[in-house]
Amino acid sequence: MSFTAEINRRRTFGIVSHPDAGKTTLTEKLLLFGGAIQEAGAVKSNKIKKGATSDFMEIERQRGISVATSVLAFEYRGNKINILDTPGHKDFAEDTFRTLTAVDSVIVVIDVAKGVEEQTEKLVQVCRMRNIPMIVFINKLDREGKDAFDLLDEVEQKLGLKVSPLSFPIGMGYDFKGIYNLWEKNINLFTGDSKRDIEETIEISDLEDPELDELIGESSANTLREEIELVSGIYPEFDKVAYSNGELQPVFFGSALNNFGVRELLDCFINIAPSPRPKQSEERLVEPTESKFTGFVFKIHANMDPNHRDRLAFVKIVSGEFKRNVPYLHVRNNKKLKFSSPNAFFAEKKQIVETSYPGDIVGLHDTGNFKIGDTLTEGEILHYKGIPSFSPEHFRYINNADPLKSKQLYKGIDQLMDEGVAQLFTLEMNGRKVIGTVGALQYEVIQYRLEHEYGAKCTYENLNVYKAAWVEAEDENSEEFKEFKRVKQRYLAQDKAGQLVFLADSQFSLQMSEQKYPSLTFHLTSEFQ
Ligand code: G4P
């Protein structure tokens, strides 16, 4: 197959949702369609479920929370599908934000009864900022839920999307009869049997066809006719270009648990979802079809084997072919590295791969060379953009609890920060170290990992910080900047890259500083540079 054909057949995407909306179940069903896992009643078993959430960390197994983000790949109708799994737990939201820099599109799962929830809002906002094409899947139609039109309104208002329904439910919950597929112009009748033949749809190209009344009853048929008329009256017709630009979002309804509406989603997805897209670097826009390999690290996974401190760096291939045993330039370190056992991901397994193409993810064994955001090339100096740090929500001092192990502690902290587990700030005044995280759970993860992987012990001490604001000064020599640094000395720190950060103790203090020092800008993400 030609290089271009390999690129065109790839679909790399992420599924985002609020926890419990059905992301894992949908992932499993997609894998099932790809033949990547066997049906044989295994779908509901914990084994597959664990596989589908790809938990490598013991701590994650203990907690039963999908801490990790990983890759599940399968073939479907000639397409190579790469699903980048994203943790739903809000404490790991930053992991998910970073993974979104590596996807070419997204499927948003919404629970029909709960509607748009908090985590979905946040994640969709990030996708909107990046104009990522999104498909919405409204799940659990076998349960009583909100009215379809009310839900579509909610999706538009709360998520700021412009929807175009491509399927529409016939009834709901107890009364759920099936789905009319506006995209394929057919009907899929619901039987509640997840093992039945999934291809079984009935073509209804004209809704006036009396066959419709026979299939679902006259009253449901009439309601459907009215509703579809309303749909075409209210919502814009689907437009692939608008979808690809992130301006229009098609919506599907279904029930992942019952394997219902999933094939329709997948068939439409492979048709409309973009193949790997060009990516902006600080230097230039890089096209996937360029012959030279480039890629970037969006995720680092640690302690695959707690006895070895090796890590797996997940690299998204942006252009060219990635080959085993070929030396590539690690741009930040200005060092050539070659990889004898790059991993590719298939369903829940990983295996060594010779060649990978744009859109693919390779897992590279790493002994501490990589940091999130690092770029690999064939020699060109390129820096891929867009892996920002957001202001953490929680801040604590970290103290060494075992003075004999301070070297191990600092090495551990250093490496965990490179993986993006949390952010480290060093106070300018006294050099004390502050760990900032998105959720409280990370403190336990860090403590556990420092102890089990590095043999170091730590304790925490609370610190009252409202937000970390990255400080940008118009003129670094100005009197105003000097005064700010003098007055706020106690609250100033450096992040790991040496950037100046203001650890504001209250919203008021941040607002006052903004007013008092107009030549300074306070950013809540590190991406401004
Ligand atoms: P998540 O990854 O988004 O957190 O959600 P997950 O797939 O784990 O699904 C959350 C719960 O919702 C699961 O039930 C799952 O079986 C159920 N679910 C998913 N899709 C559907 C659907 O279409 N209809 C109905 N009725 N339920 C659905 P659970 O009881 O938490 O887990 P389990 O014991 O069933 O595995």
Side-chain angles (χ1 to χ4, degrees), residues 20-25 44 49 139-140 142-143 255-257:
D20 272 351
K23 183 166 65 69
T24 312
T25 313
K44 279 206 77 183
K49 192 157 180 159
N139 190 28
K140 306 195 186 180
D142 57 315
R143 284 195 184 165
S255 165
L257 187 65

Side-chain angles (χ1 to χ4, degrees), residues 43-56:
V43 177
K44 279 206 77 183
S45 94
N46 267 341
K47 213 176 98 231
I48 300 290
K49 192 157 180 159
K50 285 244 166 75
T53 52
S54 298
D55 50 337
F56 294 115

Side-chain angles (χ1 to χ4, degrees), residues 160-176:
L161 302 183
K162 196 163 179 183
V163 302
S164 169
L166 287 185
S167 82
F168 208 80
I170 308 169
M172 181 183 295
Y174 180 70
D175 238 1
F176 183 49

